[in-house]
Amino acid sequence: MKQLTMEETAQWLMQCEDAYILIHQSPDGDCVGAGYALAEMLCQMGKRASVHCNDPIPNRYQFMLPEQQTQTEFAPQCIITVDVADPKLLGKLEGTLGKAVDLCIDHHNSNVEYAANCYLDGGASATCEILYALAKLLPVTITRHIAECLYTGIATDTGCFQYDNVSALTHHTAAALMECYPEGRYCWINRKMFAVKSFGRLKLEQLLIDHLESYLDGKCILICITQAFLQQFEVDEAELEGIAGFPLQVEGVEIGITMKEKEPGKFLISMRSADQVDVSAICRTLGGGGHLKASGCFLTGTADKVRKMLLDAAAKGLEAYR
């Protein structure tokens, strides 16, 4: 893998043609925003580009899809991933295109270096923060669509600018986007992302409160969402987006863990830290990784087996900070 500079990445993008942009499964605001913003940038430069994801884009992010659908099915000459630290996060897209990843743009220090070329900035608050810096080096115009995509990615990956990954550059970038396109719906985005919830989501949160599991003297809260749970309570899987931080709302919790059974016996794990515990180190022991305070992994087995693996690892992670 070749590590590119920002300038080299911009040059690479100006020379590429017919790009498939891949984003991770269980898509969030950052990967969706980065993917569709980059697609428009490439289209502005006269290239074909389309965004592909293993899972449907949640309704709350549908506003970032382009108003005019461009051609999405063509033989790609290059494959680009954004906000994807590990190809396993691509789900069924991994290996199905018959072509290796040519360029990865990411902000996760846990990136497993799977692409031929990579621009990695572990200090960036979001991949969308990187995309704004790239846009300044490309012959493109920041449109309302690009501005709203990039702002959404930054806002969601920083918890509306409350997480430790926020830097002065993060605020400067958000301000610059608002200056580039003052008519953007930035307040509307914040309300949509952080204040408004569907009735289904509110019912889900009520269920989650009833099913919170407390461990390690209350320092660890775990939520287990199995396929049986979804069927029993008729939960729309789309409502699960963004629940990883839910366990940290409990006072005194240091580690929040969410187990989501994607397929029978296959769990997507999201782990969050309230303060000092490095959950990326915990997840690395389980074959995953991510950020210091927001990480994840995939585990297989019964719910009880996976739960035990997670709690054993969390106990060791907590012990390191006592």
Side-chain angles (χ1 to χ4, degrees), residues 116-243:
N117 301 280
C118 180
Y119 181 80
L120 176 65
D121 181 1
S125 68
T127 300
C128 282
E129 187 176 299
I130 297 171
L131 262 292
Y132 173 74
L134 279 170
K136 293 193 295 182
L137 300 177
L138 296 171
V140 300
T141 300
I142 300 291
T143 61
R144 172 174 171 170
H145 177 247
I146 291 176
E148 290 182 350
C149 282
L150 298 183
Y151 182 90
T152 301
I154 293 169
T156 52
D157 249 29
T158 60
C160 206
F161 306 93
Q162 65 174 316
Y163 298 158
D164 286 352
N165 60 345
V166 175
S167 67
L169 179 59
T170 308
H171 287 291
H172 283 302
T173 301
L177 287 168
M178 299 175 78
E179 289 172 351
C180 286
Y181 206 98
E183 296 84 4
R185 299 169 293 177
Y186 309 107
C187 292
W188 175 84
I189 289 169
N190 285 336
R191 174 169 164 75
K192 183 177 180 66
M193 294 297 106
F194 302 103
V196 176
K197 299 176 182 179
S198 70
F199 189 66
R201 176 54 182 252
L202 290 172
K203 288 197 298 182
L204 171 63
E205 292 190 1
Q206 184 178 29
L207 283 171
L208 294 180
I209 290 172
D210 292 338
H211 290 80
L212 291 177
E213 302 174 22
S214 179
Y215 299 100
L216 307 177
D217 297 323
K219 299 296 184 184
C220 177
I221 294 291
L222 183 145
I223 297 172
C224 179
I225 301 173
T226 62
Q227 291 292 314
F229 180 97
L230 297 176
Q231 294 167 9
Q232 178 182 353
F233 297 108
E234 299 180 344
V235 173
D236 183 350
E237 195 164 355
E239 299 291 352
L240 298 178
E241 198 277 327
I243 68 166

Side-chain angles (χ1 to χ4, degrees), residues 299-319:
L299 295 175
T300 59
T302 65
D304 288 342
K305 177 184 176 183
V306 170
R307 183 186 286 103
K308 184 178 187 307
M309 293 170 63
L310 290 167
L311 293 175
D312 287 347
K316 292 176 183 177
L318 277 170
E319 189 63 33

Side-chain angles (χ1 to χ4, degrees), residues 257-320:
I257 302 174
T258 303
M259 298 168 50
K260 289 192 288 186
E261 191 176 29
K262 299 292 288 183
E263 299 176 30
K266 296 182 179 180
F267 287 86
L268 173 62
I269 310 302
S270 298
M271 196 174 294
R272 299 292 183 265
S273 171
D275 191 15
Q276 297 297 317
V277 179
D278 183 354
V279 292
S280 68
I282 297 173
C283 287
R284 280 198 299 271
T285 68
L286 300 168
H291 301 295
L292 188 147
K293 292 194 173 184
S295 295
C297 60
F298 285 94
L299 295 175
T300 59
T302 65
D304 288 342
K305 177 184 176 183
V306 170
R307 183 186 286 103
K308 184 178 187 307
M309 293 170 63
L310 290 167
L311 293 175
D312 287 347
K316 292 176 183 177
L318 277 170
E319 189 63 33

Side-chain angles (χ1 to χ4, degrees), residues 25 84 86-91 94 287-288 298:
Q25 62 184 356
V84 180
D86 190 313
K88 291 185 293 186
L89 297 172
L90 296 172
E94 183 186 4
F298 285 94

